[in-house]
Amino acid sequence: MPSAPLATPAASAAPPNVARPGLLVLALALLLGIQPVTTDLYLPALPALTAGFGAHVAQAQLTLTALLLAFGLSQLVLGPLSDRFGRRPVLLWGLAAYVAAAVGTTLSGSIEVLIALRAVQGAAMGAAVMAARAIVRDLYAPADGARVMSRALTGLGVIACLCAPVGALVTDLLGWRMALGMTAVFGAVTLGLVALRLPESLPRPDPHALRPSALARTWKQVLGHPVFLAYCALTTAAYGLLFTFLAASSFVFLQVLGLTRTGYGLVMLWNSLAYIAGTFLCRHWLARHGVQGAVARGAALSLAGGTAMGLLALAGVQSVWAVMAPATLAMLGHGVHQPCGQTGAVGPFPQAAGAASALNGFAMMLAAFAIGHWLGGALDGTTRPLALGIWFWSVCLAVLGWAVLPRAVRRETPA
């Protein structure tokens, strides 16, 4: 797909070399891809990690949920910081802290230390993901931003494809500590690219962005905007569906369904390929049906997949295909919802894209933390918790895509 132009009113003052489409998409893909690298790459090692520390499954789940809670909370600070000082300094400091924490996880002597370092890693990861979303708004109008974001998320999908197979291979050959160490390598590569090739994208930093009164006004404006609330709910539900699958997958496929680590890696690879296909489908539907039309069609895919998975689980059908065939439909829908939702949430706020991105990210991570806490006690040796969780989020996506979002957009569209 030809690259969308960068010359929008919100970006007229952006440095010219930011506008190199190939470099920009690569940088965005790495910055957004740091999330699946941090969450997915060690999933094949999670049972071995749990056994290595002699920990309970609920404690092992905290290595993921604590990371994601810190990820969400950190964005509430990092978003306004990036509006005040620019995206680049927040990225550089955040990525440096990420690499340091990732190295520390490989040396952890207890599950408690590992959980703490994963939380630090998650907080630092917030800089990368928040800034990537804000950079898209700095440089693009919302409609063009959805196309660019879908290209970057295609790159994220490619990265996610490699995470589980690489994690499984590294765990088998070198142990679970080296699987954690691979996140440090990815973080260092991303830091090098940002430091050497990605200039500042924010045209005009806001000198008042960190003042408590100004920050309170910004948050009130963002949280009171119906379009933000609708798109934020959409991205939260879409991520809730994805995270339910990710958080339960290693235990369901390895322990309940008896797959090998290599087999599990292949399952996760297929899952990522379905997501990549969804991002291509998103661009096709955006061109033909617009953002709302694309979201509505993605919701149909999600609902079909979630409902089929839930009904099969309730019927007692426990097999890889009974999970993965419906999951394929749900992941196709996810590839549509995330580009549209992430750009739509920050679209109304060109002067406060960092704060809007942060609040959106915080909502997503609150949902992830709640899911992780629920799964820690719900996993019962069957596929039902996984299937019913995905079914729930697919229903939410259908309601949001077919009713809530169109209504919110109509309220904000002049007659």
Side-chain angles (χ1 to χ4, degrees):
M1 173 172 287
S3 300
L6 293 179
T8 69
S12 57
N17 52 344
V18 174
R20 295 176 57 187
L23 174 63
L24 181 61
V25 170
L26 173 61
L28 290 172
L30 291 177
L31 291 172
L32 294 167
I34 204 168
Q35 187 171 353
V37 165
T38 312
T39 58
D40 297 12
L41 198 146
Y42 92 123
L43 288 179
L46 200 53
L49 180 157
T50 306
F53 282 122
H56 189 270
V57 169
Q59 287 180 299
Q61 286 287 339
L62 279 176
T63 64
L64 188 57
T65 52
L67 175 139
L68 291 171
L69 183 61
F71 174 51
L73 288 170
S74 72
Q75 293 179 68
L76 296 178
V77 177
L78 296 170
L81 277 173
S82 75
D83 287 335
R84 170 62 184 90
F85 298 108
R87 317 304 180 201
R88 182 175 164 83
V90 171
L91 276 174
L92 293 175
W93 282 102
L95 288 169
Y98 175 91
V99 173
V103 171
T105 62
T106 67
L107 306 174
S108 301
S110 68
I111 189 70
E112 292 79 12
V113 172
L114 178 60
I115 290 168
L117 285 170
R118 289 282 288 176
V120 174
Q121 196 176 9
M125 182 175 73
V129 178
M130 175 282 304
R133 296 175 187 146
I135 286 169
V136 173
R137 186 61 189 96
D138 290 342
L139 302 174
Y140 292 90
D144 290 333
R147 297 185 188 85
V148 173
M149 182 63 79
S150 72
R151 293 175 64 198
L153 290 175
T154 299
L156 176 151
V158 173
I159 293 169
C161 277
L162 300 174
C163 286
V166 169
L169 182 63
V170 170
T171 301
D172 283 338
L173 296 179
L174 303 174
W176 61 264
R177 290 184 183 273
M178 287 308 300
L180 290 170
M182 293 300 294
T183 65
V185 175
F186 185 89
V189 170
T190 306
L191 174 59
L193 178 66
V194 170
L196 298 175
R197 304 299 298 274
L198 191 67
E200 180 59 61
S201 65
L202 184 64
R204 292 174 298 277
D206 180 1
H208 308 298
L210 295 178
R211 291 183 180 177
S213 58
L215 190 56
R217 283 195 302 272
T218 298
W219 283 352
K220 182 179 179 181
Q221 179 189 9
V222 172
L223 292 173
H225 201 292
V227 172
F228 170 82
L229 293 176
Y231 278 115
C232 182
L234 181 76
T235 57
T236 300
Y239 191 74
L241 186 151
L242 175 67
F243 185 76
T244 299
F245 185 88
L246 293 178
S249 62
S250 62
F251 293 98
V252 166
F253 287 108
L254 294 173
Q255 296 183 358
V256 177
L257 299 178
L259 285 182
T260 64
R261 287 196 187 99
T262 302
Y264 173 66
L266 292 175
V267 162
M268 298 301 285
L269 172 62
W270 176 259
N271 201 56
S272 298
L273 289 173
Y275 170 72
I276 292 172
T279 64
F280 281 99
L281 195 58
C282 176
R283 295 203 287 277
H284 174 69
W285 282 343
L286 282 170
R288 297 191 63 181
H289 307 291
V291 174
Q292 290 185 64
V295 168
R297 286 161 176 79
L301 290 171
S302 298
L303 183 62
T307 301
M309 191 186 298
L311 291 176
L312 286 168
L314 288 176
V317 181
Q318 289 205 145
S319 65
V320 174
W321 73 263
V323 175
M324 288 309 301
T328 299
L329 294 176
M331 289 304 111
L332 285 170
H334 186 70
V336 176
H337 291 133
Q338 282 300 323
C340 295
Q342 290 184 23
T343 54
V346 300
F349 310 103
Q351 303 307 318
S357 172
L359 288 168
N360 184 32
F362 177 68
M364 293 165 64
M365 292 312 109
L366 274 183
F369 183 80
I371 292 165
H373 181 73
W374 170 68
L375 282 174
L379 292 172
D380 59 0
T382 73
T383 62
R384 285 190 179 187
L386 166 65
L388 295 179
I390 288 181
W391 193 0
F392 168 78
W393 290 113
S394 72
V395 172
C396 293
L397 286 167
V399 172
L400 289 165
W402 297 341
V404 176
L405 180 60
R407 182 179 179 184
V409 172
R410 283 197 301 270
R411 284 182 59 188
E412 291 300 308
T413 302

